[in-house]
Amino acid sequence: MKKPTFLSHSDKTYLLKEAEKTLNPARRRLLRQGLTLGGIMLLTGCDISDNEDVEKVLSRMSRFNDRVQGFLLSDRHLAPEYSAADITRPFPFNAFYGPEDIPQIDGEHYALEVRGLVRDTHRWTLPELYRMQQVSQITRHICVEGWSAIGKWGGVPFGHFLTLIGADLHAKYVSFHCADGYYTSIDMATALHPQTLLALTWDNQILPAKYGFPMKIRIPTKLGYKNPKHVLSIEVTNRFPGGYWEDQGYNWFGGS
């Protein structure tokens, strides 16, 4: 067993910079945002010239961070809600592509696919979804890039939808695949959170294409990249599904 190494402040700073050099840009952002003194001490046990070694340490730290956030941001944690006067106008468009590449989906032929650990796997049309129980919320969208905006979202409580389709509510994950190639996943506790919506409207109008038509998953307790747009399919699973940004180094839990 290696004898613990105690570093000076200057050595820790140098070590952190050297570790950053071995990482891809997404991992560097993760390192700057979340690597604490405890993480630096963990890194002293590995060879910082070995990118695989550093990646393994950061992955362990990220999984630990997921567990901590899952405990702190449970279903008891509610995101703040606002008044209509607080709505950000215009509400910004944000994606990993430009406005010219927003998917144009034919709502008349749209059908939401449901698969995995569910009893009812029939495909849900928009008229069927619009006829379901609807609620609304005015909540803040918080982007990992550092900006935020308040919007009014309406739709079906996601926990209600999962119960209706006979989902295994003891399963670990719910994953989403989207028309723009995006994908992400959440834990079941987040899926059942009272503020998590299968969102079909924005500001009392049918959800505009730039905000995710025909449907997005609105999770005000999560950062923006955990709120998928243009959702085509939902899967309930015990297999860890990852996500578009998460597979590139972003924190999987993504609590705001």
Side-chain angles (χ1 to χ4, degrees):
M1 180 180 295
K2 291 184 179 180
K3 184 178 179 180
T5 303
F6 297 95
L7 302 178
S8 67
H9 177 74
S10 60
D11 287 338
K12 293 167 189 171
T13 301
Y14 172 77
L15 178 59
L16 179 56
K17 289 180 179 179
E18 288 300 304
E20 281 193 281
K21 293 178 183 178
T22 69
L23 307 178
N24 61 47
R27 281 294 191 188
R28 288 176 189 161
R29 285 193 294 273
L30 176 65
L31 188 67
R32 286 195 295 270
Q33 292 167 1
L35 188 55
T36 63
L37 177 59
I40 295 172
M41 295 308 292
L42 280 173
L43 282 174
T44 62
C46 67
D47 178 2
I48 63 173
S49 66
D50 183 346
N51 184 59
E52 182 178 355
D53 224 6
V54 177
E55 289 285 340
K56 287 179 180 177
V57 172
L58 289 175
S59 294
R60 288 197 299 270
M61 289 170 59
S62 184
R63 289 194 296 271
F64 174 74
N65 191 30
D66 288 339
R67 292 194 295 272
V68 171
Q69 290 189 69
F71 174 76
L72 294 176
L73 303 177
S74 67
D75 57 5
R76 297 186 300 272
H77 172 78
L78 295 177
E81 298 201 23
Y82 301 86
S83 72
D86 297 316
I87 295 175
T88 303
R89 302 181 189 282
F91 192 88
F93 163 77
N94 185 248
F96 62 97
Y97 46 81
E100 67 280 1
D101 294 321
I102 295 173
Q104 301 300 312
I105 297 173
D106 181 359
E108 185 175 344
H109 296 99
Y110 172 82
L112 174 66
E113 181 182 355
V114 177
R115 58 177 185 259
L117 303 175
V118 299
R119 183 184 64 252
D120 182 357
T121 58
H122 96 271
R123 298 168 69 93
W124 292 78
T125 66
L126 281 177
E128 287 179 305
L129 294 172
Y130 290 150
R131 286 195 295 268
M132 294 179 66
Q133 171 193 349
Q134 307 281 310
V135 299
S136 65
Q137 60 178 240
I138 300 177
T139 50
R140 184 181 297 276
H141 174 100
I142 301 176
C143 182
V144 71
E145 295 172 347
W147 59 268
S148 68
I150 295 172
K152 182 176 183 179
W153 311 93
V156 181
F158 194 47
H160 173 74
F161 180 75
L162 290 175
T163 301
L164 184 67
I165 65 175
D168 179 359
L169 302 184
H170 297 290
K172 293 182 178 179
Y173 310 108
V174 182
S175 68
F176 310 96
H177 283 77
C178 309
D180 55 8
Y182 196 75
Y183 63 100
T184 190
S185 57
I186 56 176
D187 61 293
M188 182 58 75
T190 297
L192 298 176
H193 189 281
Q195 290 177 306
T196 299
L197 284 186
L198 190 159
L200 301 166
T201 67
W202 184 86
D203 202 18
N204 299 321
Q205 301 176 12
I206 296 297
L207 192 67
K210 61 182 177 180
Y211 301 146
F213 181 84
M215 185 189 69
K216 72 172 288 173
I217 304 299
R218 174 63 187 144
I219 314 174
T221 57
K222 299 283 192 180
L223 292 169
Y225 66 89
K226 301 299 292 187
N227 291 240
K229 301 181 291 187
H230 316 290
V231 176
L232 296 180
S233 68
I234 295 171
E235 180 179 9
V236 178
T237 180
N238 285 316
R239 174 188 54 82
F240 181 68
Y244 179 88
W245 289 117
E246 298 90 328
D247 291 346
Q248 300 180 57
Y250 279 60
N251 176 252
W252 178 76
F253 191 84
S256 52

